[in-house]
Amino acid sequence: MPAVFLGHGNPMNALDRNRYTEAWAAVGRAAPRPRAILVISAHWYTNATAVTAMPRPRTIHDFYGFPDELFAVDYPAPGLPELAEQVADVARPQWVGCDTDSWGLDHGTWSVLVHAFPDASIPVVQLSLNAFEPLDYHLELGRKLAPLRSDGVLIVGSGNIVHNLRAVDFGQPDAGYDWAVRFDEAAREVLMRSPTEAAALDAHPDFAAAVPTPDHYLPLLYIAGLADTEPLVPIVDGHCAGSISMAAYQLGGTCPPQSSGSGAPGLPAGVPALDSNM
C-alpha cells in the first residue's frame, strides 16, 4: 500500500478544483482500495502522542471566518478502533494514547480526503503530533508504522513543507518567495535521494523562514520515516501566497501523472491572513 504526503494549504481547497485537488483525487483513483486510512495532520498538534479510537469521528471545522458552505462540509467516514490499537502496538516502547471522545477529523484530513475518497466509506484514524518531541522522534515513529502498509492501511501525511502565514502575500496566488522555493527544492532533493535525512533539513539556511513553527512540517517526517529503502516521488508541486508550498509526494505504488491547471484558491474576503489554522 502506498503512503503519501499532501500539501493541503488553504481549507478552501476542500471546495475548489485545481491542480492540487486534482492530484489528490488521482491518488485516490490510483491506490488499491485501502482497508483503512491513517492520517497524520498538521492540525492535531498537541501535548501527547495519541490516535483517534472512536467508531464515528466527528468532522472538525478548525478555522473561523470562512464561508458557510465550508462549515457545512461533513466527512462522515467511520473510525476503526482496532487500527488505533495496532498503531499503539507497533509504536512500542513509545506510548500512544487512544482518544475516544475529544478529537475527530480536522480539516488537514477531510479537506484532502473529500477529493481522494469522496464517498467517505473507508475508515479513517488520525495520529496526533506530539509538540514536545524533537524531529527525530517523528521520523522514527513514522518508520515504526511500516507494518501497517502491508496490512492494507494507506498512510497520509497532511501538512506543508513551507508554511509561513506571517509572510503570506495573496498578490502572489501561484508563486513562492525565493527563500520558499529554495527550501522546497532542497527538500525535494533530499526526499528523492535519501528521505530519512529530512529531519536534518533544519540546518538549511532557509529553514527558519520556511518552518517558523513545526506543525505543518512534521507530517512529512512520518512519510519520510517509512522510506528506508525507496525514494519519494513528486506528485505535484507549486506555491501559493508566496510562503506556502503545495508540494505532494508518494512512496510506493503507481504515482498518478503530475497535474496541470489553476493554482490554489485565495482566502475569502474578510478572513485574516494570520489564521493559524490554515
Side-chain angles (χ1 to χ4, degrees):
M1 185 62 62
V4 292
F5 172 78
L6 304 177
H8 67 246
N10 186 339
M12 291 298 291
N13 280 305
L15 304 177
D16 200 38
R17 291 190 63 180
N18 54 58
R19 70 172 180 268
Y20 307 115
T21 64
E22 290 294 331
W24 307 341
V27 167
R29 291 191 299 268
R33 183 176 174 85
R35 175 175 72 91
I37 303 169
L38 176 66
V39 183
I40 303 97
S41 164
H43 295 279
W44 195 14
Y45 184 63
T46 188
N47 61 357
T49 305
V51 64
T52 55
M54 64 283 291
R56 306 300 292 184
R58 65 191 175 102
T59 301
I60 301 173
H61 299 89
D62 51 330
F63 41 75
Y64 61 92
F66 285 82
D68 289 345
E69 60 183 322
L70 190 59
F71 287 93
V73 174
D74 184 39
Y75 193 75
L80 191 62
E82 67 186 67
L83 177 56
E85 294 173 3
Q86 280 185 274
V87 172
D89 186 56
V90 299
R92 288 192 175 100
Q94 296 169 4
W95 179 86
V96 177
C98 288
D99 172 20
T100 60
D101 57 11
S102 68
W103 203 244
L105 306 181
D106 57 54
H107 85 263
T109 293
W110 57 259
S111 69
V112 298
L113 294 188
V114 293
H115 295 284
F117 301 99
D119 66 1
S121 63
I122 300 169
V124 180
V125 168
Q126 276 199 218
L127 176 65
S128 76
L129 297 168
N130 191 326
F132 292 100
E133 296 292 350
L135 299 184
D136 285 339
Y137 168 92
H138 300 280
L139 190 75
E140 177 60 24
L141 184 52
R143 181 180 290 116
K144 290 184 174 184
L145 299 177
L148 302 178
R149 293 177 64 202
S150 59
D151 196 26
V153 178
L154 173 65
I155 301 176
V156 178
S158 178
N160 297 95
I161 293 174
V162 177
H163 187 267
N164 186 333
L165 293 185
R166 293 191 175 276
V168 295
D169 175 7
F170 286 104
Q172 302 186 58
D174 204 23
Y177 296 116
D178 289 348
W179 53 262
V181 173
R182 283 196 303 267
F183 187 76
D184 221 20
E185 290 177 346
R188 181 186 180 108
E189 180 181 349
V190 168
L191 296 172
M192 295 182 67
R193 172 178 49 82
S194 182
T196 54
E197 295 178 14
L201 281 166
D202 63 347
H204 190 279
D206 294 308
F207 182 83
V211 187
T213 60
D215 47 357
H216 279 71
Y217 184 71
L218 293 178
L220 173 69
L221 298 186
Y222 286 78
I223 307 306
L226 291 165
D228 274 338
T229 59
E230 53 187 321
L232 298 180
V233 178
I235 300 171
V236 67
D237 57 19
H239 298 81
C240 67
S243 62
I244 299 173
S245 165
M246 294 296 294
Y249 292 84
Q250 181 162 318
L251 174 66
T254 301
C255 285
Q258 291 219 19
S259 301
S260 60
S262 63
L267 289 177
V271 176
L274 295 184
D275 180 357
S276 63
N277 289 318
M278 227 180 89

